[in-house]
Structure formats: C-alpha cells, structure tokens
Amino acid sequence: MESSKWIATVASIWIQCSCGASYAFGIYSSVLKSSQGYDQSTLDTVSVFKDIGANAGVLSGLLYAAVAVRRGRSCFSVGPWVVQVCGAIQCFAGYFLMWLSVVGVIHRPPVAAMCLFMLIAAHAQTFFNTANVVTAVHNFPDYSGTSVGIMKGFLGLSGAVLVQVYQTFLYGHPSSFILMLAVLPTFVSLLLMCIVRIYPEKVNGDDKKHLNGFSAVALTVAAYLLILIILENVFTFPVWARVITFIVLLLLLAWPLRIAVNAQRDESETLPHIPSEERSQLIDHSTVQESEIFSPPEDSIEYHEVSADDDNSVVGKNTNLLQAVRTMNFWLLFIAILCGMGTGLATINNISQIGQSLNYTTVEINTLVSLWSIWNFLGRFGAGYISDIFLHTRGWGRPLFMVLTLATMTAGHVIIASGFSGNLYVGSILVGICYGSQWSLMPVITSDIYGVLHMGTIFNTIAIASPVGSSIFSVFVIGNIYDEEASGAGNSCYGTKCFMLSFFILAAVSLCGSLVSLILFFRTRRFYMQILLRRLRHLTRQ
C-alpha cells in the first residue's frame, strides 16, 4: 500500500484524535489544584495560559510556511513532519513537567513556572493542528471546507476520546492521566508524522466521494460518543463494559483506513498501466500550485472589476501575514472571530456556575459539559461541509455562513439569559454548534482570501482573538456582574439575575459579529462567484 494523500488523511485524523488534551483539563484540574495548594483564582490563572497556548499558533504557522511546502517523498526531506516533531517535544515536555510537579518529584514550582508548563503543553496542540489542517487543504484544494471540517471535527472529539481512555484505564487516577497526556499524543504523532505530507497528485478519482466516507466516520464516532456520554451519566459501567465500549471506539477510529485503501484502489485504476515511479514523476511535472485553484487569473477582467480598492487586490492571492494585516478583510475576520469565539468560549468556561445558579443538579451540569464536545464537533464538521456544498452549487461565499451562525449564537445567548426551565440544554446546543462552526469557517476563509501558502500563519494569528475575547467577556462582563449580584455565603449567587445581564451583553456582541461578517460577505461576494464560474468552466472541459 503506497503512501498517498488518503493515507496522510488517515494519519492526520488519528493524530487529531489524540492531541486535544486541552479539552480534558477538567479531568486533572482537581488534582492539580489540591497537590499544588492552589485556590480557585490561581487555578483559573493556569487555565488562562492553557487557552492562550492552545490558540496562539503563530509560530506553528510560520514554521509550516517555511518548511512544509518543500515537497519531498522521503521522511528525511523537510516537510510537515518538522512541525509535528516540534509539537511532540512541547507536548511531552509540558505535561511531563506538570506530572512531576503533581506527584511530588519536583517540589511545588512557582505559579509562574506551572503556567509556563501549561502554556508549553497546550501550545503543542497548535503545531499538530496546523500541520494536519493546512496539509489537508493542500491535498484537497477543491474541497477545503470539507477537509478542514473533518480535521477540526476530530480535534473537537479528541477531548471525549481522551476521557474514554481515562475512564477505561485510569479512572480515579488523574495524576496518571497527566502522564498519559505526555506520552500518548507524542507517541502517535512521532509514529505517523512521516506519512502526513503534501501530495500534489491530480488524478481522476472522486475526492468528494471518499471525503464523504471520512465524514460518515466522523458522524458515527460523534453519535457513538454521544450515546456513551448519556449512558455514563445515568448508569455506572463495570470495568468489562468500559473495555468493550472502548474497543468499539477503536474499531470505529480504524474505519478511515479502509476508506483510504478503497480510495487508493480507485485512483490506481485510473492509471493502471503506468508504473508507480513513472506515475509520480509524471504527476509532479504536470502539477500546478494548489493555491492557484483559489487564485483568480491575473488577466481576468471580472476580477479586476471586483478590486475597487487596494485591499481587495490581494484577495485570492498568496499573501503573507504582514500583507494580510494591512487589509480590511483581515480585521473584519478578526473582529468577527473575537465576537463569536470569544463569547462562545466564555460560555463554556462558565457553564458550571450558570447551572449552579439555576439549581441544576450535578449530574445535569456534568452532562452539559460532556455534551459540549459533541455540539462543538457538529459545528466544526457541519459548517465546513455545508459551506463547500453551497459554494460549489450556488457560489455562496463562506462569510455568509459566519453571518448565519453568529446570528444563531445570538439567539443561544438570549435563551441562556432568559433562565426558563431547561434553557441551558437548548442554549448550550445552539452556542456549542455555532462556536464550533467558527473553528471550521475561519481557516477556510483565510485560505480562500489569502491563499494556502501562508494560511497557517494567518489563521493562527486570527485565532488569538478567541482567548482575547474570552478573557474580556469572562472577567470584565460575566465575572464583574456576577460579583455585584452575589450575596450568599461564599460569594455565591442564585437565580436568573446572576447571568441575565451578562448574556444579553454577549448576545449583543454576537450580533455585532454577525453584522461584521455580513460586511465581509459583501466585500468578497464577487470573488466567491468567480470560484464557482471557474469550477463550472473546468467541469465543462472534462
């Protein structure tokens, strides 16, 4: 079985499933707090550095742009594996040092040192994510929304997958779970890193058909985890039941390999009489830059009519970070993400306190927190997949889906603010799906507007808006208003008054993000229509 973009996709999926350790912070936060003698405020400070590390991926983007586009067919050639190695080193170093501190091998380090450990450990996630997401866009430029949705979707599910590993093998031993987080993602990424490469083959296979197969696997895994989460919050599983359910999960995660084998067989049948070495040479010499698929011809009359100003003149071309930040489109996207991801992350960070103030039971709150990863996945996967369909069939620009999802998120915040019975179930579903959507739409819009060459650097820079917005809304909006309303023992607050004003403010912010996205949609509408026209011309030539 030859290495190909399909095998690379499978390797990326498996790495994504193992590297979302930042989503499992709740498993070991209690032992970190007790072993280090932290109060809640100090633990929250460590958590902030987790969010910063998991979102500040500028370095990973710069490294990818520097090394990954050099296409070599050997693992010893410079490529995405360099980015994976850097992520593996940081992952092991950060979590291993954290584990040594928790078990007492290192005497209680200063809070600043623990924050550094957490920052390094979480920062590894950006290297894994950048290597896998951007490589997928290179390998499937015609279906970048679907491929990014698959990668981001499995990353969103990784927290639930890691929790299943914990509950099956390490339940009741959260300190050992920290050691596992140091070893498992590092081992998986180092084992598979040489497979994740850019493959420029342009054959006549049906990419969409097999990508749909990966999508079906993602939906099946999500549905399976959803059922497990609900059952685990209702029943107590014996050890044998946990082992069986985990084996089933592994079998589901192995399913993409079968899809990749079928895809390779279908593609090999299109060139049956050409030896693989000659086929590789033929394809390499005949391949154009993937980013050209999203780049309008420079002599296109229609495109120059779109360029009403110097800002739009870079749309669809390979643009570096310094050029991108000088454009209005960059800042429109940044503000929209700050409003969307910032309010969404602030919601999940405070959902336990909201549930307590509304007298939800502990089981109900734990269920809400667990199900968030599923709603997050549905948004990540669905937005990329659906935006591809409407782009290829109707020419609808992807920013339109940011408009719709942020408007829906506004409704979710209003529902949470209302405080009616069961409001958190409905509100968390809407906010969770729409929050996940931004993680899929933003990287693809970045590659569409600024090209794929520096995509990793630019979308990771825009992603910084997420922790920035979350910090602003969590501390200065939700935290301050909660403290003003609190009057009970332990500075606690009960009733709708605790969070009503806060979430009406978050709703207004989300609505502003939707309006900003609408401006971006109108600024890029003609460009996206050109993508559809070029695709139709290409299909008519076949």
Side-chain angles (χ1 to χ4, degrees):
M1 182 173 61
E2 296 179 10
S3 182
S4 70
K5 65 182 181 182
W6 299 108
I7 302 299
T9 302
V10 175
S12 293
I13 287 173
W14 289 345
I15 294 173
Q16 293 289 87
C17 285
S18 69
C19 71
S22 63
Y23 302 125
F25 179 72
I27 297 295
Y28 61 89
S29 59
S30 58
V31 71
L32 182 65
K33 179 180 179 181
S34 60
S35 66
Q36 304 303 301
Y38 292 158
D39 55 19
Q40 186 61 39
S41 176
T42 304
L43 183 65
D44 288 342
T45 301
V46 176
S47 179
V48 167
F49 279 86
K50 169 185 68 68
D51 292 337
I52 294 174
N55 290 278
V58 179
L59 293 179
S60 64
L62 290 172
L63 180 61
Y64 191 98
V67 303
V69 294
R70 301 180 182 180
R71 299 169 186 161
R73 293 186 172 271
S74 168
C75 187
F76 298 102
S77 303
V78 176
W81 69 268
V82 177
V83 185
Q84 302 273 15
V85 167
C86 291
I89 293 173
Q90 293 178 79
C91 179
F92 182 80
Y95 283 113
F96 189 68
L97 290 171
M98 199 181 307
W99 174 74
L100 292 177
S101 303
V102 168
V103 298
V105 175
I106 298 178
H107 183 67
R108 292 185 179 178
V111 175
M114 185 61 73
C115 289
L116 178 62
F117 298 162
M118 180 61 75
L119 178 69
I120 293 172
H123 196 230
Q125 182 174 307
T126 67
F127 282 76
F128 297 136
N129 187 52
T130 298
N132 295 320
V133 169
V134 183
T135 301
V137 173
H138 274 284
N139 287 334
F140 302 99
D142 285 335
Y143 300 100
S144 56
T146 301
S147 59
V148 170
I150 292 170
M151 293 302 155
K152 286 289 189 178
F154 275 106
L155 178 63
L157 290 176
S158 63
V161 172
L162 292 173
V163 169
Q164 291 302 314
V165 176
Y166 168 74
Q167 292 181 338
T168 304
F169 301 105
L170 302 170
Y171 190 73
H173 302 281
S175 59
S176 299
F177 182 65
I178 299 176
L179 179 61
M180 188 209 76
L181 295 180
V183 175
L184 181 62
T186 302
F187 174 76
V188 172
S189 61
L190 292 179
L191 180 66
L192 302 174
M193 65 182 184
C194 291
I195 305 175
V196 182
R197 300 201 300 272
I198 298 172
Y199 295 87
E201 288 91 334
K202 304 296 292 183
V203 297
N204 295 322
D206 189 351
D207 284 2
K208 185 61 174 176
K209 168 188 171 183
H210 299 297
L211 285 175
N212 285 344
F214 290 132
S215 300
V217 174
L219 290 172
T220 303
V221 172
Y224 180 71
L225 289 171
L226 173 63
I227 294 171
L228 279 184
I229 290 170
I230 294 174
L231 291 178
E232 287 169 353
N233 281 280
V234 177
F235 306 104
T236 300
F237 281 22
V239 175
W240 63 266
R242 292 194 178 279
V243 172
I244 291 175
T245 56
F246 184 73
I247 292 174
V248 173
L249 178 61
L250 290 182
L251 292 175
L252 290 175
L253 293 176
W255 185 6
L257 185 60
R258 176 63 179 171
I259 297 173
V261 172
N262 291 336
Q264 284 193 209
R265 184 182 64 242
D266 291 347
E267 289 191 351
S268 64
E269 290 175 354
T270 63
L271 295 172
H273 304 298
I274 304 177
S276 59
E277 295 81 2
E278 296 180 17
R279 185 192 319 157
S280 298
Q281 295 174 4
L282 175 63
I283 291 170
D284 286 341
H285 286 296
S286 62
T287 301
V288 296
Q289 291 280 351
E290 289 90 339
S291 58
E292 291 179 4
I293 292 175
F294 292 102
S295 301
E298 293 187 3
D299 59 353
S300 169
I301 297 175
E302 296 92 341
Y303 179 72
H304 284 296
E305 289 176 354
V306 178
S307 303
D309 52 46
D310 292 337
D311 182 21
N312 282 339
S313 65
V314 304
V315 174
K317 299 180 179 179
N318 279 316
T319 307
N320 61 38
L321 178 61
L322 294 179
Q323 293 170 326
V325 297
R326 293 198 294 266
T327 66
M328 179 65 72
N329 291 337
F330 176 91
W331 293 107
L332 289 174
L333 189 55
F334 186 92
I335 294 171
I337 292 302
L338 186 144
C339 295
M341 289 187 181
T343 58
L345 190 57
T347 300
I348 185 57
N349 285 343
N350 291 276
I351 198 167
S352 295
Q353 289 76 14
I354 300 170
Q356 291 171 2
S357 70
L358 297 176
N359 294 317
Y360 281 69
T361 65
T362 301
V363 173
E364 289 175 323
I365 293 174
N366 290 339
T367 301
L368 286 168
V369 174
S370 299
L371 289 177
W372 177 272
S373 63
I374 304 299
W375 314 139
N376 186 15
F377 158 78
L378 290 177
R380 290 173 183 240
F381 167 76
Y385 187 86
I386 294 173
S387 68
D388 261 357
I389 292 176
F390 283 94
L391 174 61
H392 292 159
T393 59
R394 297 173 181 259
W396 290 9
R398 299 188 205 272
L400 177 61
F401 293 92
M402 290 191 67
V403 176
L404 298 176
T405 53
L406 290 178
T408 306
M409 182 181 284
T410 300
H413 290 314
V414 171
I415 290 173
I416 294 175
S418 65
F420 64 82
S421 178
N423 69 319
L424 270 187
Y425 287 101
V426 180
S428 64
I429 291 174
L430 293 178
V431 175
I433 291 175
C434 295
Y435 170 76
S437 298
Q438 312 311 308
W439 277 117
S440 179
L441 291 170
M442 182 267 289
V444 188
I445 293 173
T446 300
S447 70
D448 290 346
I449 297 177
Y450 299 112
V452 73
L453 186 60
H454 299 283
M455 169 193 172
T457 308
I458 298 173
F459 94 73
N460 277 304
T461 302
I462 296 173
I464 296 175
S466 177
V468 170
S470 174
S471 300
I472 294 173
F473 302 131
S474 294
V475 176
F476 297 105
V477 178
I478 296 177
N480 285 344
I481 294 176
Y482 181 92
D483 290 340
E484 290 179 3
E485 297 290 344
S487 58
N491 198 34
S492 58
C493 179
Y494 295 95
T496 58
K497 63 178 182 179
C498 305
F499 293 95
M500 178 179 288
L501 179 58
S502 299
F503 276 85
F504 277 133
I505 294 174
L506 296 190
V509 172
S510 297
L511 183 60
C512 289
S514 180
L515 296 176
V516 170
S517 300
L518 186 62
I519 297 173
L520 180 63
F521 166 70
F522 282 116
R523 288 175 62 86
T524 58
R525 182 175 54 176
R526 292 281 300 277
F527 163 68
Y528 278 103
M529 186 57 68
Q530 290 300 312
I531 294 179
L532 175 63
L533 293 176
R534 286 195 301 277
R535 176 177 172 79
L536 293 176
R537 286 196 294 266
H538 175 71
L539 292 175
T540 57
R541 296 192 191 106
Q542 293 182 343

